[in-house]
Amino acid sequence: MYSYLAPDYYFEHYYDITADFLAEKNIECLLIDIDNTLAPYEQEEPDEMIVEWFEMLKNANVKVALISNNNEERVTKFIAKIRVLAYFDAHKPSIEFYVSAMRQLKVPRCRTAVLGDQLLTDAWSGRRLGVRVIIVPPIKDKLTPLFRVKRAIEKPIMKRFFKKNNLALNNEEAGGEEE
């Protein structure tokens, strides 16, 4: 299970992913989740930090598409300021919209990465697609039973990832409760 769900890279925040990092890793395209990766579910529009980060990606010639399991209204409102290719109701870990985005952006898999906060949707999609996976911790996790089960499944995989990569585990990643 580890090899199907473990990320290649981990960052504390999406904005820690720099143009230099992407260039060093030869990543020319990011396929990005919205909810809990870029913004909490209840944030309808990108804040200034998100807008600036997307501008940095654009200036670095990194192509971008947003791939979301959320609905059309949510995704349409979110992309109004940043004007990027976006897909809604993606049914991740389905890879249909990821493939469509790569075709439209004309970027090969070897130069593409998936960015998200969930191993069972974002990371699994990236693995099925055959691209690199970047994971960030969720901004504000839902506390529903389904999300608790998902996070319980993810916990040992992330612990192994952190140990394998000699990274420090914070309380939340170690399975501590969010306050």
Side-chain angles (χ1 to χ4, degrees):
M1 184 189 291
Y2 180 80
S3 62
Y4 290 109
L5 299 176
D8 295 294
Y9 312 107
Y10 176 88
F11 288 87
E12 280 296 321
H13 304 282
Y14 71 86
Y15 53 77
D16 293 332
I17 302 166
T18 65
D20 288 342
F21 168 82
L22 296 171
E24 176 187 312
K25 301 298 181 187
N26 202 23
I27 295 171
E28 297 174 6
C29 176
L30 280 177
L31 306 176
I32 308 170
D33 174 55
I34 298 173
D35 296 313
N36 257 344
T37 299
L38 298 175
Y41 288 91
E42 61 275 1
Q43 183 179 322
E44 292 185 1
E45 298 179 349
D47 59 24
E48 193 57 37
M49 189 172 284
I50 294 170
V51 172
E52 288 174 10
W53 188 70
F54 273 85
E55 190 65 29
M56 177 275 298
L57 294 174
K58 181 181 175 185
N59 291 338
N61 295 314
V62 176
K63 296 178 181 181
V64 173
L66 299 181
I67 315 288
S68 178
N69 279 346
N70 215 319
N71 62 46
E72 181 177 10
E73 180 183 3
R74 172 12 172 199
V75 174
T76 302
K77 281 182 181 179
F78 196 84
I79 66 166
K81 281 185 180 177
I82 53 177
R83 297 176 170 241
V84 296
L85 179 63
Y87 298 87
F88 57 90
D89 292 330
H91 305 288
K92 296 181 284 184
S94 169
I95 62 171
E96 174 186 357
F97 293 107
Y98 289 100
V99 171
S100 179
M102 287 189 312
R103 280 189 189 131
Q104 196 163 345
L105 296 171
K106 298 179 176 149
V107 180
R109 292 175 199 237
C110 65
R111 294 197 179 111
T112 300
V114 167
L115 169 60
D117 71 297
Q118 290 188 59
L119 300 184
L120 294 174
T121 55
D122 307 309
W124 195 4
S125 296
R127 289 287 168 244
R128 293 180 66 220
L129 194 58
V131 302
R132 286 168 283 176
V133 174
I134 305 169
I135 290 292
V136 294
I139 294 169
K140 182 180 174 188
D141 230 350
K142 287 184 175 180
L143 298 177
T144 64
L146 175 61
F147 268 77
R148 288 182 186 270
V149 168
K150 283 181 173 183
R151 296 304 182 190
I153 292 168
E154 293 176 350
K155 187 172 110 177
I157 296 163
M158 287 309 294
K159 276 187 174 183
R160 183 172 168 189
F161 173 81
F162 275 75
K163 185 175 182 179
K164 184 177 178 180
N165 292 283
N166 295 318
L167 299 171
L169 229 59
N170 69 33
N171 186 43
E172 190 176 327
E173 287 137 2
E177 287 298 313
E178 188 177 58
E179 296 182 26

